[in-house]
Amino acid sequence: MKDLMYTVHAEDYARAIQKNIYNALLERPSMLSMLPELGGKAVLDLGCGPGAYCKHFIEHGATVRATDISAEMVQLVQQQFGDTLTAYQQDLNHGLPQEQNQSADIVVCPLTIHYLEDLLPLFTEVRRVLKDNGSFFFSTHHPMVDFSASPSGNYFKRELVTEEWDTIGKPVTVQFYRRSLTELFESIQKAGLCVANLEEGKPSEAMKEQHPEDYAYLSTHPNFIFFECKKLD
Ligand SMILES: C[S@@+](CC[C@H](N)C(=O)[O-])C[C@H]1O[C@@H](n2cnc3c(N)ncnc32)[C@H](O)[C@@H]1O
């Protein structure tokens, strides 16, 4: 199924995630709090979407390369940031053929791996492009939360889930893969990476002020999960 959320509705999505609860007030602040100093670092942003992360990386002095499967998303990034970064279209299922070995200090992949059926090809490519002391950060839906949408009721089975999300203010059908924590961990390990840090996200103080009920809920219920991975020797 063609993913309309990130193609036809790319501009609406870009607007929606600037200030919304799940991206702007939960996922991004949680992920950004895990990142090291960015000044002078080579950052590769996988599944960059409309560039909310790219903006942060550029403003903090990183050299940024960004990719997304959606031509519309890549265009939005190029329109905003011009030649202050390199952005191009890439299906992560086909690896990172345009990236050099050991070229990135930091690879980020926020909220994108659940669109990939098999993680091992991408994670293996991430290992190839990471510098030896580099870090790979990714976030995804918390396996516990996605299990509530399991068609089979078997937590350990990888499954394609179809849902309607109202991220852009009207329902849009989205499909993604849910998988167990075990499968996530095994994909990391088989790719020659190891987990250096794992977090479950923290709603921002801005959410507390602007959306106190959501803040109370998301302070007591996980929604996303965040990994920092390093290369195994
Ligand atoms: C939820 S958005 C996240 C965007 C951005 N990382 C952020 O957090 O603001 C997911 C992005 O993954 C991209 N995507 C989905 N499948 C992909 C694939 N196979 N290869 C590359 N990008 C993909 C979508 O086009 C979309 O821009």
Side-chain angles (χ1 to χ4, degrees):
M1 192 187 80
K2 192 167 156 64
D3 197 331
L4 302 180
M5 179 77 94
Y6 309 121
T7 53
V8 171
H9 300 298
E11 287 190 17
D12 291 335
Y13 182 79
R15 261 190 299 277
I17 67 163
Q18 276 176 30
K19 295 188 175 170
N20 69 349
I21 291 173
Y22 286 94
N23 298 80
L25 303 180
L26 174 57
E27 196 277 338
R28 280 204 301 280
S30 300
M31 174 69 106
L32 292 176
S33 75
M34 293 173 71
L35 302 185
E37 172 66 37
L38 294 163
K41 299 277 173 60
V43 177
L44 176 62
D45 185 351
L46 305 177
C48 61
Y53 274 95
C54 293
K55 182 171 189 297
H56 180 92
F57 299 147
I58 291 169
E59 285 172 355
H60 287 77
T63 303
V64 182
R65 294 176 64 83
T67 77
D68 200 285
I69 194 172
S70 158
E72 290 84 349
M73 290 300 187
V74 171
Q75 199 182 1
L76 286 175
V77 167
Q78 287 168 339
Q79 279 166 0
Q80 280 174 90
F81 306 112
D83 58 10
T84 56
L85 52 57
T86 302
Y88 62 93
Q89 205 178 353
Q90 177 67 52
D91 181 350
L92 296 174
N93 287 301
H94 300 149
L96 301 167
Q98 298 198 45
E99 299 304 316
Q100 303 287 320
N101 292 354
Q102 303 205 17
S103 53
D105 295 295
I106 298 170
V107 178
V108 298
C109 188
L111 297 182
T112 299
I113 63 154
H114 38 267
Y115 299 111
L116 309 182
E117 183 169 6
D118 185 1
L119 298 181
L120 190 54
L122 173 65
F123 285 6
T124 304
E125 277 287 85
V126 168
R127 186 184 194 285
R128 179 182 66 76
V129 306
L130 264 185
K131 293 183 185 175
D132 282 344
N133 60 351
S135 285
F136 171 40
F137 297 88
F138 70 88
S139 63
T140 187
H141 305 163
H142 198 292
M144 188 185 103
V145 177
D146 275 357
F147 182 44
S148 62
S150 166
S152 73
N154 178 353
Y155 169 79
F156 293 102
K157 187 178 173 201
R158 183 197 310 154
E159 296 175 303
L160 187 61
V161 175
T162 304
E163 287 186 343
E164 285 207 333
W165 292 355
D166 64 0
T167 312
I168 61 167
K170 62 182 174 193
V172 177
T173 304
V174 177
Q175 286 192 313
F176 59 89
Y177 291 94
R178 61 155 291 275
R179 50 175 59 87
S180 66
L181 191 54
T182 300
E183 185 185 322
L184 273 177
F185 185 79
E186 283 177 357
S187 302
I188 292 166
Q189 205 175 35
K190 282 183 188 157
L193 299 166
C194 62
V195 177
N197 191 14
L198 185 155
E199 297 189 12
E200 292 176 292
K202 194 170 176 297
S204 63
E205 285 303 300
M207 192 194 301
K208 190 176 188 175
E209 285 163 28
Q210 296 166 26
H211 306 277
E213 286 182 12
D214 296 285
Y215 179 85
Y217 183 82
L218 292 167
S219 299
T220 52
H221 296 72
N223 196 80
F224 300 119
I225 192 163
F226 303 78
F227 288 82
E228 177 185 1
C229 301
K230 293 267 190 191
K231 284 166 79 160
L232 275 174
D233 292 336

